[in-house]
Amino acid sequence: MLSAQSLAKIDYELAKYPADQFRSAIMGALRIALVERRETGNTPEERCLNADVIEFVANYVGIPPVAAYEVATFYNMYDMKPVGKYKLTVCTNLPCALQGGVNAAHYIGEKLGIGIGETTADGKFTLLEGECMGACGDAPVLLVNNHKMCSFMTREAIDKKLAELE
Amino acid sequence: MAVFVNGVIFEGVDTATPDCWRLEAYMARGGYQALKKILDNKIPQEDVIAEVKNSGLRGRGGAGFPTGLKWSFMPRSFPGDKYVVCNTDEGEPGTFKDRDIIIYNPHALIEGMIIAGYAMGCKAGYNYIHGEIFEAYELFEEALDEARKAGLLGQNILGTDFSFDLFAHHGYGAYICGEETALLESLEGKKGQPRFKPPFPASFGLYGKPTTINNTESFASVPFIIRDGGQKFLEAGKPNNGGTKLFSISGHVNRPGNYEIPLGTPFATLLEMAGGMKDGKKLKAVIPGGSSAPVLPGDVMMELTMDYDSISKAGSMLGSGAVIVMNEDVCMVKALERLAYFYHEESCGQCTPCREGTGWLYKVIHRIANGEGRDGDLELLESVGNNMAGRTICALADAAVFPVRSFTKHFRNEFEHLIKHKKALVDHKWC
Ligand SMILES: Cc1cc2nc3c(=O)[nH]c(=O)nc-3n(C[C@H](O)[C@H](O)[C@H](O)COP(=O)(O)O)c2cc1C
Ligand code: SF4
Ligand code: FES
C-alpha cells in the first residue's frame, strides 16, 4: 500500500525509539503515509488518510489500528477529509490578525471563489484557517500542504504563489 | 524576520549567512567548548548542575521555573533509563523564538541537551518540534547528523566513556502538546492529553522513566553558562532574573521579530528597537508574555522593565517572552474573540470545566463582538471563568481565563458599549 521509500522512512522513525516503544513512531509514520498519498493521489479522496491506510500503517508499526486512528484524528494536520492538491492554511490567530492574516485568508478565498474550509471544484485548492504556527513575526503566514511555510504573504506575494502552484 | 541585538544564544550568529547553522560555523563561534571543558576536566555532575543554579536561569517556556533546581530533582541513583526532553512545540500565539534557534543555531540546543544528559545521567534525549515548522524539523535532523558524524552524539562521545544520543520527534497540529505531560504522551505515540500530576516527570516521565523537560531557549543557554560561567550569565540580566532573553515582538510595530536582550531592559527600549509603533499610531495595549498572559494597558507597559519580577508585579506574566503590541485602532472585544476561539479549539477535552468552559467563553464573547451581547454577559463570563481556573488537569483552562479577565477588566467600557449600543466603540478593521 505504501512505496518502498515510504517504508524505509518509517523504519528510520522506528529506529529513534527504544525497541519496545515502537508506538512512538506512529506520528512520523502517519505523516509519511499522508505525504505519499498527497503526492500520488489524483482526487481529493485519494489525497487524505482513510481507514485502510491507517490500518496498514498501524500493522507496519506494530500497534492496534484503533490506537493509530486515535492519533490520526487527534492531531489536526493529518488530513482525514478529502483535500485539494494544494492545501493552504492561513494563520488567523491574534498576532497574525494584527498584521494582515485575516485579510490574507479572505483575499485567497475571493481569488479562488471559495470560503474557508472549502475546496475548489477542480479539486486543486483547499483553504483553511489555522492557529499559531510559531512564525508570527513573518505574518501573514500560510502553510502549503502542511510542510511548506510561506512568509510575508501580502496580496502581491499571494498572487505570485497561487500562480506558481500549478 | 530575524532581528537580533545581543545575547548569549545569538552572539556571533550571522543570520544572513545561509550556513550559519552548520557545525563548522558553530565551532568557529566557540561551540562545543563547554562540552569539551566538562569532558576534559571530568567535571562532576553536581558541579554542572550547581553552575546552572548559579546562573539564575529560569525556564524560558512560560512558567519561569529555575532550571538548575529542576535538574536537581532527577533521582541520581536511579538504576534504569532516564531521559532529557526538549520542548520545541512552540504554539503559544505570539511566540516564534524557538524556531529561530533551531533554524539559525541548532547546535547550541544540541550542546545544551548533551550537557543536560551528562549532568542528569541520561543516555538519550528527544526534541519535540511543532509540526507546523516542518522545515525547521528537517534542518534539525541534519544538524543531529552532523553532530553524530563528528562524534558529539552517540557512543563514547569525543572518545570518553560518556554516551548520549538525541533524536527529533515532530508534533502534527495540537497546541496542547506544548504542555509538558501532553508532550510526553505524544512522544509515546498517543493522543496529546495532559497527565494528572503528581507524579511529576522527574519521577514518572517518558515511558514511565525519570525525565526532565525544558524549553529550547533554556537548553540553548546552557553552553554559555558552562563555558563562561553562571556568574557571567547572571550578570547579563538582573538579580533573580539572570541572563538575556529572546523577546518575540509581533503586532503593530515597524519591525516585528526576535530581540535577544538583557532581562530588565525597559519595555520602551524594546519597542524602540522594534522600530516603534507602526504608522506612528498610539500604543493601546500589550500582551507581554504570549496569549495566555494577562493584557496590560499601553501606559502601564511603558513604565515596566522586561523581566519576570517587574511584569508579574504589574499583574501579568513574562511567560514565553512573546510581546503582542496593539494600537489604538484595535477593538479589544474583537481581539479577545480570536484568543477565545483559539483556546476553545485547542482544549483537549478531557476536563469538563475546560471543554465546556472554553466553549462558553467563546460563544459569549462572539455574541458580544457581533452586537448580540446581553445584559449580564460580563458577569456570565466571570462566573464561567471562576468555574474553570484551577479546577482542571492542566493550565490551559487558566490560560483561557486570564485573557478574558484582563481584557474585560482593563477595557471594560468597550465591552459594555458593545452590549448596550450593539456597536463597537472602536471602528475596528483587521488590516
Ligand atoms: C497549555 C500549555 C502550553 C504550553 N506550551 C509550551 C510551549 O509551546 N513551549 C514550551 O517550552 N513550554 C510550553 N508550556 C510549558 C511546559 O509545560 C513546560 O513548563 C516547559 O516546557 C518547561 O520548560 P522550561 O522550564 O525550560 O520553561 C506550555 C504549558 C501549557 C499549560
Ligand atoms: S485543562 Fe483543558 S486542555 Fe488541559 S487537560 Fe483539561 S481539558 Fe485538556
Ligand atoms: S499567530 Fe500566526 S503564526 Fe503565530
Side-chain angles (χ1 to χ4, degrees):
Chain A
M1 189 173 277
L2 292 179
S3 68
Q5 289 103 304
S6 289
L7 296 181
K9 284 185 190 158
I10 297 179
D11 293 342
Y12 175 79
E13 295 299 316
L14 281 162
K16 291 178 179 176
Y17 309 97
D20 55 344
Q21 301 292 350
F22 35 81
R23 181 172 182 171
S24 287
I26 191 62
M27 293 193 60
L30 287 169
R31 178 256 306 168
I32 291 160
L34 177 61
V35 169
E36 177 170 333
R37 285 189 57 84
R38 169 163 291 133
E39 284 170 358
T40 57
N42 292 314
T43 62
E45 290 72 24
E46 287 170 7
R47 291 190 198 103
C48 61
L49 293 174
N50 60 31
D52 290 347
V53 183
I54 292 171
E55 187 174 338
F56 175 87
V57 173
N59 289 335
Y60 190 82
V61 170
I63 65 171
V66 59
Y69 190 80
E70 253 183 32
V71 169
T73 49
F74 184 84
Y75 300 91
N76 66 32
M77 286 166 70
Y78 294 113
D79 296 312
M80 295 293 290
K81 284 195 267 181
V83 64
K85 184 170 175 196
Y86 300 108
K87 180 174 90 163
L88 310 177
T89 314
V90 185
C91 177
T92 56
N93 206 307
L94 179 63
C96 276
L98 296 171
Q99 298 168 84
V102 173
N103 276 358
H106 288 164
Y107 181 66
I108 296 173
E110 265 166 43
K111 275 201 78 151
L112 299 176
I114 52 175
I116 310 276
E118 294 177 357
T119 299
T120 52
D122 60 2
K124 197 164 152 194
F125 292 103
T126 297
L127 176 61
L128 296 175
E129 265 182 325
E131 295 304 342
C132 183
M133 298 165 181
C136 340
D138 297 353
V141 287
L142 72 85
L143 278 180
V144 180
N145 290 343
N146 290 338
H147 295 174
K148 172 80 192 120
M149 189 174 286
C150 307
S151 301
F152 306 110
M153 297 310 280
T154 55
R155 287 181 174 228
E156 301 76 58
I158 289 169
D159 291 344
K160 194 158 154 256
K161 190 82 220 167
L162 291 181
E164 264 168 42
L165 299 175
E166 268 318 314
Chain B
M1 180 143 125
V3 193
F4 300 101
V5 185
N6 67 331
V8 308
I9 298 176
F10 281 93
E11 179 76 57
V13 182
D14 177 10
T15 56
T17 309
D19 282 342
C20 68
W21 63 274
R22 293 209 168 266
L23 179 60
E24 203 187 328
Y26 183 63
M27 293 279 205
R29 301 193 282 269
Y32 289 105
Q33 276 178 17
L35 178 64
K36 285 205 181 83
K37 177 170 158 184
I38 290 174
L39 296 177
D40 287 351
N41 300 303
K42 300 197 166 56
I43 300 181
Q45 294 174 318
E46 49 280 15
D47 290 7
V48 175
I49 296 181
E51 199 64 46
V52 176
K53 277 189 185 161
N54 291 342
S55 74
L57 173 64
R58 294 171 63 169
R60 304 301 199 220
F65 191 83
T67 303
L69 187 59
K70 189 188 265 190
W71 288 15
S72 70
F73 294 156
M74 284 284 269
R76 191 144 323 146
S77 53
F78 187 81
D81 294 332
K82 293 185 257 183
Y83 293 101
V84 34
V85 171
C86 176
N87 190 341
T88 311
D89 193 40
E90 188 172 54
E92 169 90 355
T95 319
F96 48 90
K97 63 191 178 66
D98 298 338
R99 171 179 176 238
D100 275 359
I101 293 175
I102 62 174
I103 290 178
Y104 297 115
N105 204 11
H107 285 286
L109 169 59
I110 296 171
E111 185 181 7
M113 288 190 74
I114 301 172
I115 293 170
Y118 174 93
M120 292 179 279
C122 307
K123 290 274 170 298
Y126 292 92
N127 183 18
Y128 187 106
I129 301 174
H130 201 214
E132 283 84 344
I133 53 167
F134 196 78
E135 291 154 298
Y137 165 82
E138 291 179 310
L139 184 142
F140 188 74
E141 292 238 69
E142 257 193 79
L144 287 176
D145 258 0
E146 285 186 321
R148 242 173 244 132
K149 288 199 180 103
L152 294 159
L153 279 176
Q155 291 297 314
N156 303 104
I157 290 177
L158 298 174
T160 65
D161 58 4
F162 170 57
S163 301
F164 178 80
D165 215 340
L166 180 56
F167 304 94
H169 181 104
H170 65 75
Y172 226 54
Y175 164 70
I176 191 58
C177 291
E179 195 282 336
E180 59 189 19
T181 58
L183 183 151
L184 293 176
E185 288 289 298
S186 182
L187 194 45
E188 291 180 2
K190 303 173 188 156
K191 289 189 284 187
Q193 291 188 319
R195 300 174 179 169
F196 276 107
K197 286 184 267 192
F200 289 95
S203 52
F204 190 91
L206 181 63
Y207 310 129
K209 308 288 186 191
T211 302
T212 290
I213 302 146
N214 277 119
N215 172 257
T216 317
E217 189 185 352
S218 309
F219 281 125
S221 304
V222 169
F224 177 94
I225 291 168
I226 300 300
R227 201 187 60 209
D228 290 11
Q231 188 61 29
K232 197 161 166 205
F233 183 85
L234 181 63
E235 284 164 7
K238 66 182 233 190
N240 198 34
N241 298 265
T244 56
K245 165 99 191 75
L246 278 158
F247 290 99
S248 308
I249 304 201
S250 62
H252 293 139
V253 294
N254 279 312
R255 290 196 302 157
N258 283 314
Y259 296 79
E260 190 174 34
I261 53 171
L263 282 170
T265 302
F267 169 73
T269 309
L270 178 60
L271 182 61
E272 205 181 301
M273 284 175 187
M277 295 297 293
K278 211 171 153 208
D279 305 322
K281 297 264 183 183
K282 201 166 156 267
L283 174 68
K284 178 171 185 174
V286 178
I287 303 179
S291 65
S292 308
V295 69
L296 292 173
D299 51 349
V300 173
M301 249 346 261
M302 289 305 277
E303 302 300 318
L304 300 179
T305 56
M306 299 304 293
D307 55 81
Y308 297 94
D309 296 342
S310 158
I311 302 285
S312 123
K313 220 187 270 166
S316 187
M317 311 184 298
L318 193 71
S320 57
V323 183
I324 307 169
V325 176
M326 290 175 267
N327 72 19
E328 56 193 316
D329 294 343
V330 176
C331 164
M332 298 309 275
V333 187
K334 283 261 181 225
L336 181 61
E337 184 188 11
R338 297 227 78 89
L339 294 180
Y341 178 79
F342 169 72
Y343 289 107
H344 169 48
E345 182 70 23
E346 300 295 335
S347 163
C348 84
Q350 63 175 331
C351 320
T352 310
C354 173
R355 186 184 61 239
E356 303 297 321
T358 52
W360 269 102
L361 294 178
Y362 173 64
K363 197 175 136 176
V364 174
I365 295 161
H366 178 72
R367 81 179 173 220
I368 299 175
N370 283 286
E372 290 156 12
R374 306 170 193 165
D375 285 341
D377 270 357
L378 289 175
E379 292 70 25
L380 180 59
L381 287 176
E382 201 177 314
S383 82
V384 172
N386 291 343
N387 282 311
M388 294 168 66
R391 293 168 184 249
T392 54
I393 294 174
C394 90
L396 183 135
D398 305 69
V401 174
F402 289 153
V404 176
R405 282 188 186 154
S406 57
F407 274 71
T408 53
K409 174 177 162 205
H410 294 297
F411 302 96
R412 197 168 192 85
N413 60 333
E414 290 187 40
F415 288 82
E416 287 171 349
H417 189 95
L418 241 166
I419 292 172
K420 196 156 167 212
H421 303 287
K422 315 289 173 215
K423 205 176 148 304
L425 200 55
V426 178
D427 182 22
H428 174 99
K429 280 197 185 66
W430 294 115
C431 71

